[in-house]
Amino acid sequence: MSATQPQERNQIQFGVFFQGVNFSTIWTEPESGSQIDFESFRRVAQTAERGLFAAFFLGEGLRLREHLGKLHDLDVAGRPDAQTQLAALAAVTSKIGLVATQNATYNDPFDLAHRLQSLDLLSGGRAAWNVVTTDNAWTGANFRRGGYLDHADRYTHAEQVVETVRAIWDSWDDADGSARLVARDFGAFDVRGVGRLPRSPQEHPVLFQAGDSDEGRDFAARSAEVIFSAHGQFEAASAFAADIRRRTALAGRPADDLKIFPGQQFVLADTEAEAHEKALWVREKQITPATALAFLENIWGTSLADYDPDGPLPDIDPVVEVTGETRGAGFRAKKSKETADAWREQAAAENLSIREFVFKVGGRLEGGIIGSYQQVADLLARYADEHIVDGFNISPFLIPSGLDDIVDRLVPELQERGVYPTEYRGDTLREHLGLRPPLTRRGEPGDAARQTPSFDLV
Ligand SMILES: Cc1cc2nc3c(=O)[nH]c(=O)nc-3n(C[C@H](O)[C@H](O)[C@H](O)COP(=O)(O)O)c2cc1C
């Protein structure tokens, strides 16, 4: 299909989320690479580009996870700076977007604006900034401002940072090559300066957002161009899309202005039965006996080394009131005794061992999509037809080979169904994603593009 032929079906796109922490990536197989080896990044990025993926995506963790007072080394620990990695990848790719997660709580806007714009220029207009606020104070202890912002204040601050970064990007005057002064008063610190770089072929980096609270969603609806969510299953994704489009329209934008990309894992094989067999293997590898115990130790707050991972959940009560924040496996501060009681009850009712229980509640594949290539392609076509998502940010469970079957087997099935691109739409990330011009470059609030929802709100 050429770019000028009418599209009969709505399409979805893919990004790849290269996970640097947690147990969703299996790093213990002989074929596994290393999370700090450039070869791993290169292979994944180039495979994704071969599969016409819109974006290569990196998270950010500004402090290593800890567990019972030690580095949590059951998960892979340590990852290079995202912008440095992406700059290196810009040199070995030519189309794929390069998304750096950078938090707005600890980074200064002037520095951030310049680094992101540099990546955007060096990559020919392929950069994006995934704005996060980071949900824990312990990360802040690494910085001179030591966790100084409450949850709600982080979004107020993030919005000011984003607005300032955009003003810096926009401060370059195309007409005469001069730059306008950007002056902002933040209270905590002020900004007085001029942008130091011209615009890139996509004007400026695309803005992603990841954060799921009401404040986070509203912030995305006002300021972002893509939202990265954790709601990948059909029903949840559907409800999320309706909510985000409502918020986006309320913010005075076309309802489809904010593209929705949930994270997702796929386990695929020739037949459904084989895919489920493979999924069992993946879960076994993701949740080892030691990982299962560590998962419960987050709640119990003490070593459970004497418990059998294949036996029942611990009969002792947690020694802490709430789970620690420097956790090894994705918890918010939960009430420990309440959680332990609920988990014991569920495990007893379903006759689950520790490991089986952790498979159930902690397994990354609970939200994953498992099936034959054809089945999954049919399901994804439904997501496209019903406009549930604009794409998926895929986490491969194996690095560096985990995208191979998605690109070689799933992508052609989707293309055959007309629900996946057959070529890149252009050279920039903004073009790949079919985004409108940046929010600050669209004219005045009366501009039709700011006001008219382009399809019915669900
Ligand atoms: C899908 C998703 C991915 C995220 N990735 C990161 C990340 O890589 N680094 C980070 O510091 N925070 C990340 N966050 C957390 C956000 O920074 C945010 O601080 C957190 O979710 C709290 O905001 P909320 O209450 O609005 O969800 C992510 C959040 C979501 C939903």
Side-chain angles (χ1 to χ4, degrees):
M1 191 198 303
S2 91
T4 51
Q5 274 178 329
Q7 280 175 14
E8 284 171 13
R9 292 181 88 168
N10 189 41
Q11 295 190 338
I12 53 161
Q13 301 203 48
F14 288 152
V16 56
F17 181 17
F18 191 112
Q19 300 256 9
V21 290
N22 77 44
F23 50 78
S24 71
T25 314
I26 301 164
W27 294 101
T28 48
E29 282 304 280
E31 66 167 293
S32 297
S34 146
Q35 91 284 3
I36 49 170
D37 184 354
F38 182 67
E39 178 56 19
S40 303
F41 300 109
R42 184 199 62 74
R43 164 101 183 261
V44 171
Q46 290 183 341
T47 305
E49 192 166 75
R50 184 160 57 78
L52 303 173
F53 279 37
F56 178 96
F57 186 102
L58 288 171
E60 180 192 58
L62 293 177
R63 180 169 173 179
L64 291 178
R65 296 174 195 224
E66 292 153 32
H67 183 69
L68 300 179
K70 291 194 192 130
L71 173 65
H72 186 66
D73 60 1
L74 281 175
D75 297 350
V76 68
R79 48 182 158 172
D81 169 68
Q83 289 184 59
T84 310
Q85 283 178 52
L86 295 175
L89 286 175
V92 296
T93 54
S94 62
K95 294 281 191 187
I96 194 165
L98 304 164
V99 191
T101 300
Q102 303 279 284
N103 92 56
T105 305
Y106 304 110
N107 281 301
D108 281 0
F110 224 81
D111 181 38
L112 196 55
H114 189 64
R115 284 189 280 119
L116 287 162
Q117 204 175 7
S118 300
L119 180 64
D120 204 26
L121 278 164
L122 292 173
S123 63
R126 294 190 280 139
W129 171 22
N130 179 38
V131 186
V132 295
T133 55
T134 298
D135 58 351
N136 49 60
W138 61 278
T139 294
N142 272 2
F143 293 84
R144 66 190 183 285
R145 300 187 200 96
Y148 72 111
L149 287 175
D150 287 341
H151 182 274
D153 294 340
R154 285 182 201 179
Y155 279 112
T156 308
H157 182 77
E159 204 150 346
Q160 290 171 330
V161 170
V162 167
E163 196 264 333
T164 305
V165 166
R166 280 189 158 128
I168 294 164
W169 288 338
D170 287 339
S171 69
W172 193 276
D173 187 334
D174 289 328
D176 62 7
S178 66
R180 287 184 300 274
L181 179 75
V182 176
R184 295 289 183 282
D185 295 328
F186 277 126
F189 56 91
D190 299 340
V191 173
R192 295 275 179 285
V194 289
R196 287 172 283 165
L197 287 168
R199 278 183 259 278
S200 81
Q202 62 168 357
E203 302 250 2
H204 67 58
V206 172
L207 279 230
F208 282 55
Q209 186 271 1
D212 202 28
S213 59
D214 281 339
E215 292 97 335
R217 291 182 187 200
D218 280 337
F219 164 57
R222 284 191 297 271
S223 302
E225 300 174 286
V226 183
I227 186 163
F228 174 31
S229 89
H231 308 290
Q233 293 304 91
F234 198 84
E235 297 303 323
S238 205
F240 182 75
D243 182 64
I244 290 300
R245 287 170 188 151
R246 182 183 59 81
R247 290 176 198 261
T248 308
L250 279 175
R253 301 169 62 185
D256 66 347
D257 217 25
L258 181 56
K259 305 292 178 199
I260 301 172
F261 271 68
Q264 193 58 276
Q265 282 214 316
F266 294 104
V267 183
L268 307 165
D270 284 323
T271 65
E272 183 180 3
E274 278 175 63
H276 281 282
E277 214 170 284
K278 194 164 160 186
L280 271 181
W281 177 88
V282 172
R283 281 198 327 186
E284 292 265 330
K285 294 287 176 184
Q286 286 177 327
I287 303 180
T288 62
T291 300
L293 288 179
F295 190 88
L296 294 194
E297 285 169 353
N298 280 300
I299 298 293
W300 267 258
T302 187
S303 168
L304 300 173
D306 291 340
Y307 286 83
D308 177 3
D310 295 318
L313 264 63
D315 45 9
I316 55 163
D317 278 340
V319 302
V320 289
E321 214 167 293
V322 292
T323 56
E325 284 198 56
T326 54
R327 75 278 193 253
F331 287 111
R332 298 281 167 86
K334 284 194 182 222
K335 294 232 179 304
S336 296
K337 171 96 170 62
E338 230 172 74
T339 308
D341 285 345
W343 284 7
R344 279 192 286 232
E345 200 178 307
Q346 186 186 345
E350 298 177 31
N351 197 21
L352 300 172
S353 69
I354 288 178
R355 201 155 168 224
E356 287 165 339
F357 180 76
V358 175
F359 279 158
K360 180 138 196 178
V361 300
R364 300 282 158 163
L365 289 178
E366 284 300 304
I369 293 182
I370 303 163
S372 73
Y373 297 105
Q374 288 84 356
Q375 276 176 326
V376 172
D378 286 339
L379 174 63
L380 297 191
R382 260 191 80 205
Y383 277 87
D385 288 340
E386 296 183 34
H387 201 170
I388 303 300
V389 299
D390 295 284
F392 289 102
N393 216 4
I394 300 173
S395 292
F397 53 81
L398 276 175
I399 297 287
S401 62
L403 278 189
D404 293 358
D405 66 336
I406 291 171
V407 167
D408 296 331
R409 303 286 306 274
L410 182 63
V411 162
E413 292 281 347
L414 294 169
Q415 287 170 326
E416 242 169 60
R417 289 163 177 73
V419 295
Y420 190 87
T422 52
E423 60 189 1
Y424 279 108
R425 290 182 192 160
D427 296 320
T428 68
L429 177 57
R430 192 170 290 283
E431 287 171 297
H432 305 335
L433 294 171
L435 294 173
R436 298 184 178 92
L439 284 168
T440 51
R441 308 275 293 162
R442 287 198 200 166
E444 297 308 308
D447 188 333
R450 291 186 69 86
Q451 306 239 315
T452 324
S454 54
F455 57 88
D456 290 340
L457 294 177
V458 196

mmCIF file of all heavy atoms in Angstrom, residues 343-359:
data_model
loop_
_atom_site.group_PDB
_atom_site.id
_atom_site.type_symbol
_atom_site.label_atom_id
_atom_site.label_comp_id
_atom_site.label_asym_id
_atom_site.label_seq_id
_atom_site.Cartn_x
_atom_site.Cartn_y
_atom_site.Cartn_z
ATOM 1 N N TRP A 343 -3.877 -11.658 50.953
ATOM 2 C CA TRP A 343 -3.138 -12.589 50.094
ATOM 3 C C TRP A 343 -3.220 -14.022 50.629
ATOM 4 O O TRP A 343 -3.365 -14.969 49.869
ATOM 5 C CB TRP A 343 -1.668 -12.143 49.988
ATOM 6 C CG TRP A 343 -1.483 -10.964 49.068
ATOM 7 C CD1 TRP A 343 -2.464 -10.225 48.471
ATOM 8 C CD2 TRP A 343 -0.232 -10.403 48.648
ATOM 9 N NE1 TRP A 343 -1.905 -9.242 47.705
ATOM 10 C CE2 TRP A 343 -0.540 -9.312 47.790
ATOM 11 C CE3 TRP A 343 1.098 -10.699 48.907
ATOM 12 C CZ2 TRP A 343 0.450 -8.532 47.189
ATOM 13 C CZ3 TRP A 343 2.081 -9.922 48.313
ATOM 14 C CH2 TRP A 343 1.759 -8.855 47.471
ATOM 15 N N ARG A 344 -3.101 -14.145 51.978
ATOM 16 C CA ARG A 344 -3.175 -15.505 52.566
ATOM 17 C C ARG A 344 -4.540 -16.117 52.295
ATOM 18 O O ARG A 344 -4.657 -17.290 51.960
ATOM 19 C CB ARG A 344 -2.900 -15.426 54.069
ATOM 20 C CG ARG A 344 -1.412 -15.352 54.379
ATOM 21 C CD ARG A 344 -1.133 -15.568 55.847
ATOM 22 N NE ARG A 344 -1.508 -14.420 56.640
ATOM 23 C CZ ARG A 344 -0.696 -13.811 57.512
ATOM 24 N NH1 ARG A 344 0.532 -14.268 57.694
ATOM 25 N NH2 ARG A 344 -1.110 -12.775 58.208
ATOM 26 N N GLU A 345 -5.552 -15.279 52.428
ATOM 27 C CA GLU A 345 -6.919 -15.771 52.198
ATOM 28 C C GLU A 345 -7.077 -16.230 50.750
ATOM 29 O O GLU A 345 -7.590 -17.323 50.473
ATOM 30 C CB GLU A 345 -7.886 -14.617 52.497
ATOM 31 C CG GLU A 345 -9.306 -15.069 52.762
ATOM 32 C CD GLU A 345 -10.189 -13.857 53.092
ATOM 33 O OE1 GLU A 345 -9.824 -13.076 54.008
ATOM 34 O OE2 GLU A 345 -11.206 -13.682 52.401
ATOM 35 N N GLN A 346 -6.609 -15.410 49.831
ATOM 36 C CA GLN A 346 -6.735 -15.757 48.407
ATOM 37 C C GLN A 346 -5.944 -17.017 48.069
ATOM 38 O O GLN A 346 -6.438 -17.926 47.391
ATOM 39 C CB GLN A 346 -6.244 -14.590 47.537
ATOM 40 C CG GLN A 346 -6.487 -14.826 46.052
ATOM 41 C CD GLN A 346 -5.866 -13.744 45.155
ATOM 42 O OE1 GLN A 346 -5.491 -12.664 45.632
ATOM 43 N NE2 GLN A 346 -5.763 -14.031 43.872
ATOM 44 N N ALA A 347 -4.704 -17.095 48.594
ATOM 45 C CA ALA A 347 -3.858 -18.259 48.291
ATOM 46 C C ALA A 347 -4.473 -19.538 48.857
ATOM 47 O O ALA A 347 -4.465 -20.592 48.206
ATOM 48 C CB ALA A 347 -2.452 -18.040 48.847
ATOM 49 N N ALA A 348 -5.044 -19.429 50.079
ATOM 50 C CA ALA A 348 -5.656 -20.621 50.696
ATOM 51 C C ALA A 348 -6.887 -21.037 49.897
ATOM 52 O O ALA A 348 -7.083 -22.219 49.593
ATOM 53 C CB ALA A 348 -6.021 -20.328 52.152
ATOM 54 N N ALA A 349 -7.704 -20.056 49.517
ATOM 55 C CA ALA A 349 -8.943 -20.366 48.784
ATOM 56 C C ALA A 349 -8.634 -21.027 47.443
ATOM 57 O O ALA A 349 -9.351 -21.915 46.987
ATOM 58 C CB ALA A 349 -9.752 -19.093 48.570
ATOM 59 N N GLU A 350 -7.547 -20.595 46.819
ATOM 60 C CA GLU A 350 -7.233 -21.136 45.491
ATOM 61 C C GLU A 350 -6.171 -22.221 45.548
ATOM 62 O O GLU A 350 -5.687 -22.690 44.523
ATOM 63 C CB GLU A 350 -6.787 -19.987 44.567
ATOM 64 C CG GLU A 350 -7.890 -18.963 44.362
ATOM 65 C CD GLU A 350 -7.442 -17.788 43.502
ATOM 66 O OE1 GLU A 350 -6.593 -17.974 42.616
ATOM 67 O OE2 GLU A 350 -7.944 -16.667 43.738
ATOM 68 N N ASN A 351 -5.764 -22.565 46.789
ATOM 69 C CA ASN A 351 -4.777 -23.627 47.003
ATOM 70 C C ASN A 351 -3.462 -23.359 46.252
ATOM 71 O O ASN A 351 -2.946 -24.211 45.536
ATOM 72 C CB ASN A 351 -5.398 -24.977 46.593
ATOM 73 C CG ASN A 351 -4.619 -26.139 47.169
ATOM 74 O OD1 ASN A 351 -3.888 -25.956 48.152
ATOM 75 N ND2 ASN A 351 -4.736 -27.303 46.550
ATOM 76 N N LEU A 352 -2.933 -22.157 46.459
ATOM 77 C CA LEU A 352 -1.725 -21.760 45.731
ATOM 78 C C LEU A 352 -0.515 -21.725 46.651
ATOM 79 O O LEU A 352 -0.599 -21.241 47.793
ATOM 80 C CB LEU A 352 -1.904 -20.359 45.125
ATOM 81 C CG LEU A 352 -3.045 -20.171 44.124
ATOM 82 C CD1 LEU A 352 -3.205 -18.685 43.766
ATOM 83 C CD2 LEU A 352 -2.794 -20.982 42.859
ATOM 84 N N SER A 353 0.608 -22.224 46.169
ATOM 85 C CA SER A 353 1.877 -22.093 46.896
ATOM 86 C C SER A 353 2.370 -20.646 46.752
ATOM 87 O O SER A 353 1.818 -19.871 45.962
ATOM 88 C CB SER A 353 2.920 -23.037 46.298
ATOM 89 O OG SER A 353 3.274 -22.566 45.003
ATOM 90 N N ILE A 354 3.442 -20.328 47.481
ATOM 91 C CA ILE A 354 4.021 -18.975 47.382
ATOM 92 C C ILE A 354 4.310 -18.634 45.922
ATOM 93 O O ILE A 354 3.925 -17.592 45.403
ATOM 94 C CB ILE A 354 5.325 -18.882 48.221
ATOM 95 C CG1 ILE A 354 4.995 -18.894 49.711
ATOM 96 C CG2 ILE A 354 6.132 -17.638 47.846
ATOM 97 C CD1 ILE A 354 6.204 -18.853 50.639
ATOM 98 N N ARG A 355 4.988 -19.553 45.271
ATOM 99 C CA ARG A 355 5.409 -19.255 43.893
ATOM 100 C C ARG A 355 4.214 -19.141 42.953
ATOM 101 O O ARG A 355 4.135 -18.229 42.124
ATOM 102 C CB ARG A 355 6.367 -20.339 43.414
ATOM 103 C CG ARG A 355 7.202 -19.860 42.269
ATOM 104 C CD ARG A 355 8.495 -20.586 42.165
ATOM 105 N NE ARG A 355 9.134 -20.284 40.899
ATOM 106 C CZ ARG A 355 9.701 -21.186 40.128
ATOM 107 N NH1 ARG A 355 9.709 -22.465 40.480
ATOM 108 N NH2 ARG A 355 10.274 -20.830 39.002
ATOM 109 N N GLU A 356 3.259 -20.050 43.127
ATOM 110 C CA GLU A 356 2.052 -19.987 42.276
ATOM 111 C C GLU A 356 1.294 -18.684 42.519
ATOM 112 O O GLU A 356 0.777 -18.057 41.591
ATOM 113 C CB GLU A 356 1.132 -21.179 42.562
ATOM 114 C CG GLU A 356 1.669 -22.480 42.008
ATOM 115 C CD GLU A 356 0.954 -23.699 42.608
ATOM 116 O OE1 GLU A 356 0.341 -23.598 43.690
ATOM 117 O OE2 GLU A 356 1.046 -24.780 41.990
ATOM 118 N N PHE A 357 1.276 -18.284 43.799
ATOM 119 C CA PHE A 357 0.562 -17.046 44.123
ATOM 120 C C PHE A 357 1.247 -15.837 43.469
ATOM 121 O O PHE A 357 0.591 -14.963 42.891
ATOM 122 C CB PHE A 357 0.482 -16.863 45.646
ATOM 123 C CG PHE A 357 -0.239 -15.615 46.033
ATOM 124 C CD1 PHE A 357 -1.628 -15.541 45.954
ATOM 125 C CD2 PHE A 357 0.469 -14.487 46.423
ATOM 126 C CE1 PHE A 357 -2.300 -14.364 46.265
ATOM 127 C CE2 PHE A 357 -0.194 -13.306 46.732
ATOM 128 C CZ PHE A 357 -1.581 -13.245 46.663
ATOM 129 N N VAL A 358 2.579 -15.823 43.562
ATOM 130 C CA VAL A 358 3.302 -14.680 42.973
ATOM 131 C C VAL A 358 3.164 -14.683 41.445
ATOM 132 O O VAL A 358 3.049 -13.630 40.826
ATOM 133 C CB VAL A 358 4.777 -14.650 43.443
ATOM 134 C CG1 VAL A 358 5.548 -13.539 42.746
ATOM 135 C CG2 VAL A 358 4.839 -14.460 44.951
ATOM 136 N N PHE A 359 3.143 -15.883 40.864
ATOM 137 C CA PHE A 359 2.838 -15.952 39.419
ATOM 138 C C PHE A 359 1.555 -15.190 39.137
ATOM 139 O O PHE A 359 1.415 -14.457 38.179
ATOM 140 C CB PHE A 359 2.571 -17.390 38.963
ATOM 141 C CG PHE A 359 3.802 -18.208 38.707
ATOM 142 C CD1 PHE A 359 3.723 -19.598 38.744
ATOM 143 C CD2 PHE A 359 5.017 -17.622 38.425
ATOM 144 C CE1 PHE A 359 4.838 -20.384 38.488
ATOM 145 C CE2 PHE A 359 6.137 -18.392 38.179
ATOM 146 C CZ PHE A 359 6.040 -19.778 38.218
#
